[in-house]
Amino acid sequence: MPATTPTTVPPLISGGIMLTYHCTNTCRHCLYRCSSRHEKHFMSEALIDATMGALAKEPTLHGIHMAGGEATLNYKRLIYAIRSARRAGISIDYLETNASWCADKQTARDGFTRLREAGLRAVLISVSLFHNEFIPLAKTKTGIRAAVDVFGSQGVVVWTPEVLQQMDAHLDEHRTHSLEESCESLGLDLRQGDVWKMHNYLTPGGRAAERLVDGLLTRPAESFQGDACGRVLENTTHFHIDPFGNLYTGRCPGISVADVGDLHPTISTTKHPVYCQLAEGGPVWLWRGLAPDFVPNPKGYVSKCHLCLDVRKHLRANGQYEELRPDEYYRE
Ligand code: SF4
Ligand code: SF4
């Protein structure tokens, strides 16, 4: 193995516990490819406890956030997870929610109060044109107001306020809008990639790389040659653990060399060929090394992560790579 290949996963710093891949939405920008079409599978109580137990042993862990899919779809399990983290002495930074359940202020307030009583201290409420294809803005605003009542303004993060402001000014809050419709109301050109400028935090991977590439500059697959991913894959400041216990590092869902049973396995080219190829040379090495029969899209790719996902899908369709998991992530 070349000397630069990491030998194990570095200590974990901060990350999300994905209680499910199931969601009320199937947002076009979802990096984790969550969907309303996925099974309503939630992390089991036993796995939650095992996860918290494993995280409690991490010497550099700052905190975690609770996430999905939409974690509130199983309130009982979410509350279990909050309590389990507290039992294990793990700090929960916030719960991420899309506020789809905030039909009226009382419902929202009751829901947030139950979570606060379980030990939650903050929430992050997502708002975007992508979410608005499924959730009317009125629910989002109801959720924000109720969350401020329960957690205080310091305990509520709106992701993002700038987007909320623009949507509030131009969209009917009582109904959903297709992305095409909202773009028209906001004077955005979807075909020119304007939604990327409005939501400037988007990552060009996952479903965004598949569904939102119009108007973005593309490059031939070969041009990503030499763009290695070792540093990203070693980054544990925004890790995720999925409902099956798989660990993702970097911002690389669908690639997992570790799980809750062993968060720091020895990484080797024989056992983890995909990870090692990516760490050493990026997606072009992955293609050349493990998928020489892969035919890149002649239209090109908006990012190396876009190419990476395409090569990985090809690998999964043609071979057995334990690291490319779980099925949910790769399912259409
Ligand atoms: S971005 Fe959030 S709300 Fe949208 S599909 Fe993904 S998990 Fe669900
Ligand atoms: S190209 Fe693949 S491995 Fe590299 S950062 Fe993107 S998703 Fe992660």
Side-chain angles (χ1 to χ4, degrees):
M1 188 190 308
T4 52
T5 298
T7 51
T8 190
V9 176
L12 304 185
I13 296 172
S14 175
I17 308 304
M18 296 176 64
L19 292 173
T20 181
Y21 282 98
H22 183 60
C23 192
T24 50
N25 300 6
T26 307
C27 297
R28 297 195 210 187
H29 71 311
C30 190
L31 180 62
Y32 295 88
R33 302 183 91 237
C34 297
S35 171
S36 57
R37 293 189 291 269
H38 288 331
E39 281 165 34
K40 294 178 182 166
H41 171 81
F42 267 71
M43 188 183 277
S44 68
E45 292 183 359
L47 190 52
I48 287 171
D49 289 339
T51 301
M52 301 308 167
L55 289 176
K57 293 186 196 134
E58 290 293 315
T60 58
L61 189 76
H62 284 194
I64 58 169
H65 61 273
M66 296 292 173
E70 178 53 35
T72 63
L73 285 171
N74 187 335
Y75 239 83
K76 217 172 131 215
R77 198 62 55 82
L78 172 59
I79 285 173
Y80 187 92
I82 293 168
R83 291 196 171 127
S84 177
R86 281 171 59 84
R87 274 197 303 275
I90 295 167
S91 159
I92 306 172
D93 298 331
Y94 56 88
L95 158 75
E96 209 172 304
T97 179
N98 63 25
S100 53
W101 53 280
C102 297
D104 56 71
K105 199 160 182 189
Q106 196 55 48
T107 305
R109 205 189 287 216
D110 290 350
F112 285 132
T113 302
R114 281 173 68 197
L115 299 175
R116 190 193 58 198
E117 285 168 359
L120 189 73
R121 291 291 170 261
V123 288
L124 180 149
I125 298 180
S126 313
V127 54
S128 74
L129 296 187
F130 317 111
H131 291 85
N132 193 244
E133 293 204 274
F134 305 89
I135 303 167
L137 197 57
K139 280 192 180 178
T140 313
K141 288 167 64 182
T142 299
I144 294 168
R145 281 192 289 264
V148 169
D149 287 350
V150 174
F151 297 105
S153 53
Q154 297 299 314
V156 182
V157 175
V158 176
W159 189 258
T160 64
E162 300 79 21
V163 169
L164 172 62
Q165 203 178 17
Q166 289 193 56
M167 290 170 66
D168 211 11
H170 297 281
L171 301 181
D172 176 354
E173 69 173 34
H174 298 294
R175 66 179 184 89
T176 57
H177 302 79
S178 70
L179 193 54
E180 290 73 12
E181 203 182 350
S182 342
C183 282
E184 202 180 320
S185 301
L186 273 84
L188 303 175
D189 191 340
L190 189 53
R191 285 159 308 169
Q192 293 301 318
D194 286 356
V195 288
W196 289 78
K197 291 176 206 144
M198 180 170 169
H199 308 84
N200 58 9
Y201 55 85
L202 290 184
T203 304
R207 198 175 289 127
E210 300 164 307
R211 303 271 315 270
L212 286 175
V213 292
D214 284 354
L216 298 191
L217 203 64
T218 55
R219 288 165 49 183
E222 296 79 1
S223 73
F224 296 100
Q225 174 90 30
D227 198 347
C229 301
R231 268 206 215 152
V232 181
L233 285 164
E234 278 195 274
N235 190 317
T236 62
T237 59
H238 198 73
F239 71 84
H240 280 83
I241 294 176
D242 84 355
F244 305 102
N246 299 310
L247 172 73
Y248 305 143
T249 51
R251 289 193 180 250
C252 311
I255 306 166
S256 181
V257 293
D259 61 28
V260 165
D262 182 3
L263 291 171
H264 303 282
T266 301
I267 297 172
S268 69
T269 46
T270 41
K271 206 160 172 227
H272 310 108
V274 174
Y275 185 101
C276 291
Q277 288 291 125
L278 287 167
E280 286 302 320
V284 174
W285 271 39
L286 183 63
W287 161 26
R288 303 282 196 223
L290 298 185
D293 57 333
F294 168 74
V295 180
N297 189 332
K299 288 185 186 157
Y301 294 89
V302 297
S303 68
K304 67 171 177 171
C305 303
H306 186 194
L307 170 63
C308 181
L309 182 56
D310 217 11
V311 179
R312 285 188 273 136
K313 280 183 182 169
H314 175 88
L315 281 172
R316 267 185 64 97
N318 295 286
Q320 294 289 323
Y321 290 94
E322 210 194 311
E323 308 152 79
L324 298 180
R325 61 185 194 233
D327 288 345
E328 269 74 0
Y329 181 78
Y330 289 95
R331 209 171 279 159
E332 293 309 324

